[in-house]
Amino acid sequence: MNFILIGGFVVSAAVETKEFQTEIRQLLDIVIHSLYTEREIFLRELISNSADAMEKLRYTQLTGQDVYQKDLPLEINIDTSEEAHTLTITDNGVGLTREELAENLGTIAHSGSKEFIKHLSEKGNQKDLNLIGQFGVGFYSAFMVAERVTIYTRTFLPEGESLIWESDGAGSYTIKPGDDYQRGTKMVLHLKEDAYDFAKVETIQRIIKQYSSFVPYPVTVNGQKVNTVDALWTKNKSEITDEQYNEFYKFIANAHDEPLYRLHFSSDAPLNINTLLFVPQENFEQFGFGRMEPGVNLYCKKVLIQEKATAILPEWLRFLRGVIDSEELPLNISRETMQDSALVGKLNKVVTTRFIKFLEGQITSEPEKYKMFWEKFNLFLKEGAANDFTHRNDLLKLLQFESSNTQAGELITLSQYVSRMKEDQTAIYYVNGPSRETIETGPYLEIFRDKGLEVIYTYAAIDDYIFGTIGEFEGKRLVSADEANLDLIDKEPKDRSKEALPEEQVAFLTGWLKEVLGAKVTDVRESKRLVDSPAVVLSPYGTNSMQRMMQLMNKDFDSVGPSVLEINAAHPMIKQLETARINEDPFARVAAEQIFENAQIAAGLILDPRGMVNRLNQIIERALAK
C-alpha cells in the first residue's frame, strides 16, 4: 500500500476495493429491485442523516473538543443538475473517517439492520418502504433512485483525511483519498434513467416542503432556502405571536382563514411530546363535502414520520389540524406498527385527554366561543361519545343541549342539569324530537311540566343512542320521557280527576281499543302522564326516536312497529269515544283509528298517509252533516 503526505499527515494513497457484507448485499438487492411507489422518501432519509451529522457536530463543539473548520455554518445544501442527471446533498456535519465509511456503509454495524432484512423476508413481496430508516439503514434508500453513489467526506477531527467512497450497489465499494475537502459530507447521486425527475428543482423543493420543512438547519436547493417555516411547536408559547400561529396554521392546514381554536402544549411525562393543534373555522362535512381526512401530522425531531396520521388520534378527532412531535417514536415507524404500538396508544391517550380538558375549560371561560364550536363540530364529539370507550365519560361533559328550562338557542351541559335537579330527583330526563316546537307541542312533557321537572331536548337520533348506551351520568339514570315504563312513582300529575271515566268503563274501553287496533298495539292502558292530550303512543322496545331512526335506516316508511297506547280518561275526546262505543256507533272504530294515528304523528313516526286520508274524509263528511 502506498502512502503520501497531505497537510502534514501521512495517509494512504491506494484505492481500496471492498465487498459488501452478505447482509448488506441482501439489503441492497431489496432496495434496488423492489418496486416502491413512494421512492421520494429517500430524500427525507438523506436530509435526516445530514441533520443528525450536524447535530453531532454541534454537540461536539459544546463539549469543547477541537473541530476542524469550526466556523463553517451548519446548513444543508442541495444542488440539482438536469443535464448531468445528478442530485448532490452537502452538509457541514461531523463527516466520516475511513473506518466509519467501511463500518457504517459496508457492514451491518447494528443489529437493527439484520432485523430489517428479517422483517422484509417474513413479509415476502409485501415490502413496506416506510420501514427504511426505522432500523438505521436510511442511507441505502439512495440506491432506489441512484445507479451510482459517490460520497466526498472529511471528518471533523483536526488530523483527519479527505476521502471518496463510491459504489453502484452491485456488491462492492471503493474508498480512496480525495482532495482537501471542507468538513462534512457531500453525497452525489447519479440518477437512474427512471429517476431523472429527481434532478428537477421543483420536484426536490416539493419533497422537502412535504417531509423536511421543519429540519432545524437551513436547507437550500440550488442556493435558495426552502424550509422557511419555523417549527413553532418546539418553541415556548411566550415567544410566539398570534400572527405567527395563524400563518403556521395556514401553512400546515393549507387554509386561508384563521383557526377557531389552538392548543399548544409540551409534556415530558408519561411521554416527551410537543403538540400544536388547531380547530378550523368550518366543518366541511357539514356542507356535504364528504368525510374529512385526519389532519394531524406525526413528527420525530421535526422530521415527518407520517402525514395525516390515522392511528395517532381517534377517528372522531379527524377535524383537527396540526402537529404532534415525539422524540420517543422511532423514525419511520411503520403503518403496521402504528396500529399496534403501545407507545402510539399512550400518545393517543395523552393528546386526546389534553384536548378534551381544553374544551371543557372553554365551556366556562369562553361560553359564546364554545357555542360556535359546538354548533359546527358537535357531531364529532357525539361520535366519540358513542364509540370511544376510553374517553366517553370525559366527552359526556362536553355535550350541550336545550331543555324545557332554557330559552331557544340557550344550551346547558349534563353537569349543569344535574346541579339544578330537585332534591328527590333520581334521573336525568330527556326527550327526542325534530325541533323544539314539535317537542313542546307534543304530549310527552305534560307530566314533567306538572311536576316542575326539567327535560333535556335532543334533536338527533345519535343523542338517544348515546344516552341509551351509557345509562347514567354522575350517578343519575338517563331516562327518556317517552319510555313505556317511565318510573313516575309519587310523581303522578294529581289525584285521579273526578271528570275522568270510571275505572270500570276505562277497563272496557281499553279492552275494546286493543281489539279494534289489533297488532298495531301491544297494550292499551289509562295514562298517568297525560294532562291535556287525549292519547299518547309509547314504544315497548325502547323509545320512539329509536323507532324513527330504524325507519329511516331501513327506508321502511310503510311499516310501523306495534306501540303501547295510553289514553287520558278525563279528556273530552276519549269520553265521547266511550259514549260512541257504548251506543255501538260504527263511527267509533273510525275515531279510534284516527286517535291512534294522531298519537303516532305526535310521536314523530312516519306513516303511510293513504289510509288516513280516506278516514279523514269520513270524519269531515260526518262533521259537515251535523
Side-chain angles (χ1 to χ4, degrees):
M1 182 178 291
N2 298 323
F3 295 89
I4 59 173
L5 186 68
I6 297 180
F9 297 97
V10 177
V11 297
S12 170
V15 176
E16 295 182 77
T17 300
K18 296 187 176 185
E19 295 292 317
F20 283 117
Q21 192 180 18
T22 302
E23 290 88 349
I24 291 296
R25 287 201 298 272
Q26 287 180 260
L27 179 61
L28 285 168
D29 184 67
I30 292 170
V31 169
I32 294 170
H33 298 109
S34 294
L35 297 176
Y36 294 113
T37 57
E38 300 175 20
R39 292 196 299 177
E40 61 189 31
I41 69 122
F42 83 90
L43 187 58
R44 176 189 69 179
E45 297 304 321
L46 300 182
I47 290 175
S48 294
N49 287 350
S50 293
D52 288 344
M54 290 191 292
E55 190 64 21
K56 290 175 183 175
L57 192 284
R58 190 179 68 83
Y59 178 78
T60 300
Q61 288 176 313
L62 290 175
T63 63
Q65 188 174 347
D66 287 341
V67 170
Y68 180 68
Q69 294 179 333
K70 63 180 180 179
D71 295 326
L72 276 179
L74 296 179
E75 58 187 21
I76 302 171
N77 299 302
I78 299 176
D79 296 285
T80 65
S81 173
E82 291 191 56
E83 294 77 18
H85 308 304
T86 60
L87 177 67
T88 304
I89 303 165
T90 306
D91 69 67
N92 300 322
V94 290
L96 294 162
T97 64
R98 183 180 291 267
E99 291 75 19
E100 288 169 340
L101 280 172
E103 180 183 349
N104 294 342
L105 304 187
T107 64
I108 294 286
H110 305 287
S111 61
S113 300
K114 288 184 178 179
E115 290 297 317
F116 175 81
I117 295 168
K118 179 183 176 184
H119 183 91
L120 290 184
S121 298
E122 290 174 352
K123 288 178 71 70
N125 291 326
Q126 297 177 357
K127 309 295 193 300
D128 186 354
L129 183 62
N130 289 278
L131 289 169
I132 290 183
Q134 179 183 350
F135 299 96
V137 294
F139 160 72
Y140 301 107
S141 64
F143 287 100
M144 291 192 294
V145 298
E147 61 184 12
R148 179 165 50 94
V149 175
T150 307
I151 295 176
Y152 304 85
T153 187
R154 205 285 184 194
T155 178
F156 74 95
L157 297 169
E159 68 277 12
E161 59 180 322
S162 296
L163 298 165
I164 302 172
W165 181 100
E166 190 168 57
S167 176
D168 60 4
S172 64
Y173 62 91
T174 63
I175 300 176
K176 63 183 179 182
D179 296 331
D180 191 14
Y181 306 128
Q182 68 179 28
R183 183 198 71 230
T185 301
K186 179 171 75 172
M187 182 183 301
V188 181
L189 277 63
H190 305 271
L191 298 171
K192 298 176 181 178
E193 188 174 348
D194 65 352
Y196 283 172
D197 197 50
F198 294 111
K200 295 179 179 178
V201 172
E202 58 271 21
T203 300
I204 298 304
Q205 287 178 334
R206 176 186 60 77
I207 296 171
I208 293 171
K209 287 177 180 178
Q210 181 175 357
Y211 292 104
S212 306
S213 283
F214 307 110
V215 169
Y217 299 99
V219 180
T220 66
V221 177
N222 291 3
Q224 182 179 354
K225 187 177 179 182
V226 179
N227 58 335
T228 57
V229 181
D230 286 339
L232 291 192
W233 66 87
T234 62
K235 294 188 173 185
N236 192 299
K237 287 186 283 187
S238 61
E239 302 173 359
I240 309 171
T241 65
D242 288 342
E243 289 74 20
Q244 287 175 313
Y245 274 124
N246 291 338
E247 286 305 310
F248 181 82
Y249 165 71
K250 292 175 183 177
F251 173 81
I252 201 76
N254 193 26
H256 302 286
D257 55 357
E258 297 179 359
L260 181 61
Y261 280 134
R262 71 167 180 259
L263 173 61
H264 184 187
F265 72 92
S266 299
S267 173
D268 53 12
L271 291 171
N272 190 326
I273 56 175
N274 291 296
T275 302
L276 180 53
L277 301 175
F278 299 93
V279 175
Q281 286 281 353
E282 299 295 343
N283 167 17
F284 290 102
E285 280 191 23
Q286 210 174 35
F287 301 140
F289 284 97
R291 194 172 183 83
M292 296 172 81
E293 289 187 328
V296 175
N297 298 334
L298 183 62
Y299 284 76
C300 176
K301 299 178 183 178
K302 304 180 186 178
V303 176
L304 183 67
I305 292 179
Q306 191 175 41
E307 189 175 26
K308 298 179 179 178
T310 55
I312 204 65
L313 289 176
E315 190 176 359
W316 61 268
L317 279 176
R318 61 188 176 276
F319 63 90
L320 287 179
R321 299 291 179 261
V323 170
I324 297 173
D325 192 322
S326 176
E327 296 182 4
E328 299 183 38
L329 286 172
L331 189 63
N332 280 8
I333 184 170
S334 73
R335 286 185 176 87
E336 177 183 296
T337 311
M338 286 279 286
Q339 297 294 333
D340 302 324
S341 170
L343 190 64
V344 171
K346 195 179 295 184
L347 191 62
N348 181 315
K349 187 173 182 180
V350 168
V351 177
T352 303
T353 300
R354 189 66 176 263
F355 181 71
I356 291 173
K357 290 293 182 186
F358 166 77
L359 290 179
E360 191 177 348
Q362 293 298 306
I363 293 174
T364 52
S365 63
E366 292 190 88
E368 288 303 313
K369 190 172 183 180
Y370 184 80
K371 184 179 178 183
M372 289 173 53
F373 165 79
W374 176 257
E375 288 172 352
K376 295 176 181 179
F377 295 95
N378 69 81
L379 281 178
F380 294 99
L381 302 189
K382 291 176 181 180
E383 180 184 324
N387 302 321
D388 189 339
F389 302 109
T390 302
H391 301 101
R392 172 178 284 169
N393 289 336
D394 291 328
L395 281 166
L396 292 175
K397 299 175 184 178
L398 303 180
L399 307 185
Q400 292 196 318
F401 307 93
E402 292 185 12
S403 83
S404 56
N405 286 12
T406 69
Q407 299 296 317
E410 182 186 349
L411 302 175
I412 61 166
T413 63
L414 291 174
S415 296
Q416 289 170 327
Y417 178 100
V418 170
S419 70
R420 58 202 204 191
M421 284 172 57
K422 291 193 170 187
E423 286 186 15
D424 61 343
Q425 187 176 339
T426 60
I428 300 170
Y429 296 106
Y430 65 95
V431 66
N432 181 273
S435 68
R436 185 183 185 96
E437 183 180 13
T438 302
I439 290 173
E440 293 189 334
T441 55
Y444 299 102
L445 294 184
E446 293 178 11
I447 180 64
F448 298 96
R449 287 198 191 102
D450 190 77
K451 291 300 176 183
L453 294 171
E454 185 173 14
V455 180
I456 286 173
Y457 297 167
T458 65
Y459 303 128
I462 192 174
D463 299 332
D464 276 19
Y465 173 78
I466 293 168
F467 287 174
T469 301
I470 63 175
E472 66 172 43
F473 177 79
E474 295 185 2
K476 306 294 183 182
R477 292 181 302 116
L478 284 151
V479 177
S480 176
D482 65 354
E483 281 188 9
N485 298 314
L486 185 64
D487 182 6
L488 289 175
I489 296 175
D490 297 326
K491 296 182 178 66
E492 293 185 17
K494 51 195 165 186
D495 292 335
R496 197 168 188 279
S497 172
K498 294 178 182 179
E499 299 175 359
L501 292 168
E503 291 186 15
E504 185 178 348
Q505 278 188 264
V506 172
F508 282 117
L509 178 59
T510 54
W512 177 80
L513 282 167
K514 193 167 184 179
E515 179 187 333
V516 170
L517 297 173
K520 296 179 181 179
V521 295
T522 59
D523 191 19
V524 181
R525 65 198 183 198
E526 183 178 1
S527 180
K528 294 181 179 181
R529 71 179 78 206
L530 293 176
V531 177
D532 301 314
S533 300
V536 64
V537 293
L538 309 163
S539 173
Y541 310 115
T543 64
N544 288 323
S545 64
M546 294 303 291
Q547 189 165 344
R548 290 195 298 270
M549 183 173 71
M550 293 304 295
Q551 281 187 291
L552 291 170
M553 287 175 58
N554 298 329
K555 297 182 179 179
D556 185 5
F557 305 135
D558 296 331
S559 175
V560 179
S563 301
V564 174
L565 176 65
E566 288 190 356
I567 59 171
N568 181 356
H571 196 280
M573 188 182 297
I574 299 300
K575 292 162 74 174
Q576 289 167 12
L577 178 63
E578 171 61 3
T579 300
R581 181 193 70 82
I582 292 172
N583 294 334
E584 297 184 355
D585 185 344
F587 186 73
R589 300 180 71 90
V590 176
E593 291 272 7
Q594 193 58 50
I595 289 171
F596 175 69
E597 291 200 4
N598 285 350
Q600 287 183 306
I601 292 170
L605 299 175
I606 304 167
L607 308 179
D608 182 352
R610 290 171 294 184
M612 188 187 298
V613 169
N614 293 331
R615 193 183 311 111
L616 286 173
N617 286 336
Q618 285 182 265
I619 294 170
I620 293 171
E621 183 179 352
R622 180 181 174 104
L624 292 174
K626 289 187 177 180

